[in-house]
Amino acid sequence: MVKGYLYALLSTFCFALPTVFTVFAYRDGLTPQSLVFNQTLIAAILLMLYIKWIGVPFPRLTMRSAADFFLAGAGKAITVMAMFMAISVMDVSLVMTLIFMYPASVVLLELFIDKKRLNPQQIAGLFCTLAGELFVLEVFQGDFSQLSVIGILLGLLSGLAWGWMIYWSNKRLGAFPPLIVTGFTTIVSVVLYLIMMPPLYLFTTPITLPMIGWSLFFGVIAQVVALLFMFTGINRIGAARFSIISVCELPITVLLAFLLLGEQMDAWQLLGGGLILSGIVLFDWAQFRAALVSREVV
């Protein structure tokens, strides 16, 4: 069980660290467009090779399942693109705090699309998330106008798209192995990036060592190693316990942004982040409670 928790922590750290390092990549001349496309292409290739290597069979897709993969992949593509663009104009810690509204968007999608009734914990979670976002955006403190409007909109868009990806994957792609879902949606992201922002820079600008290094770092660590740690951790300790550890991604990101970038959040913003984390716990309270009281030995 100890190894399972270690894998979960390593996965959470591997998701958080590259987000902070995005700032350093931009200082070395990369752009949101080049970084997103390069890392996603590298990740897609590595994931397909890994799936082939471990012998996971590729499913036969129908028109319906192909459309479902496309819709989930579109959410993933928008999530990553909007996040990297937001980080280029606003502090990493603020962007990630905005993005972590995604559980609220999942709950709201289930409410409006599936007509699923909210339980008291989910209603409380929505209030916590809303209040937390308002504190983070300094609405109550009167400093909202000092933040980047573009950064705020992109951060919220990333959170909404992430929520959509999770919602649609759970709703329509649950019959497929998680590794297949990850690999196929990554391929969809590559195709969409090729259409939305053709990588002309590969032919018009010099390919520098920083571009190669950062692209490999993000593609390998953020989108492959982190996922492998995640799947291993879930297999060892279960999804419920893993979900508890994964909540730590937000505070780890905020801490790393403080240590490596010198970013600081005031007390009210930290309170807002705490409220958002509380909302995440409340949204999935049954799973969290089951994990906390379970005495199963893995």
Side-chain angles (χ1 to χ4, degrees), residues 45-188:
I45 294 172
L46 292 177
L47 285 170
M48 289 299 104
L49 291 175
Y50 180 74
I51 290 172
K52 186 70 175 178
W53 178 55
I54 64 175
V56 176
F58 289 95
R60 290 187 177 182
L61 300 181
T62 63
M63 290 294 293
R64 182 63 180 270
S65 60
D68 290 332
F69 273 110
F70 175 82
L71 290 173
K76 183 174 186 176
I78 295 172
T79 297
V80 178
M81 188 69 251
M83 179 184 72
F84 278 87
M85 291 179 67
I87 291 174
S88 68
V89 296
M90 197 163 69
D91 285 353
V92 172
S93 51
L94 293 180
V95 172
M96 292 307 296
T97 307
L98 290 172
I99 291 174
F100 265 74
M101 58 147 316
Y102 75 89
S105 64
V106 174
V107 170
L108 291 175
L109 285 168
E110 291 176 342
L111 171 65
F112 292 114
I113 297 179
D114 299 333
K115 308 302 180 183
K116 184 177 179 180
R117 296 183 63 180
L118 302 181
N119 59 43
Q121 289 82 11
Q122 290 174 319
I123 295 173
L126 287 173
F127 278 109
C128 284
T129 301
L130 176 60
E133 296 291 358
L134 292 176
F135 277 121
V136 168
L137 294 176
E138 302 187 297
V139 173
F140 298 127
Q141 301 94 301
D143 296 326
F144 175 78
S145 60
Q146 299 181 15
L147 301 177
S148 168
V149 175
I150 296 298
I152 292 171
L153 292 176
L154 288 170
L156 292 174
L157 175 62
S158 183
L160 290 170
W162 193 359
W164 166 260
M165 178 187 67
I166 293 174
Y167 166 77
W168 198 252
S169 296
N170 290 338
K171 181 180 176 69
R172 304 296 306 179
L173 301 176
F176 298 94
L179 194 57
I180 291 293
V181 175
T182 301
F184 280 25
T185 53
T186 303
I187 291 175
V188 171

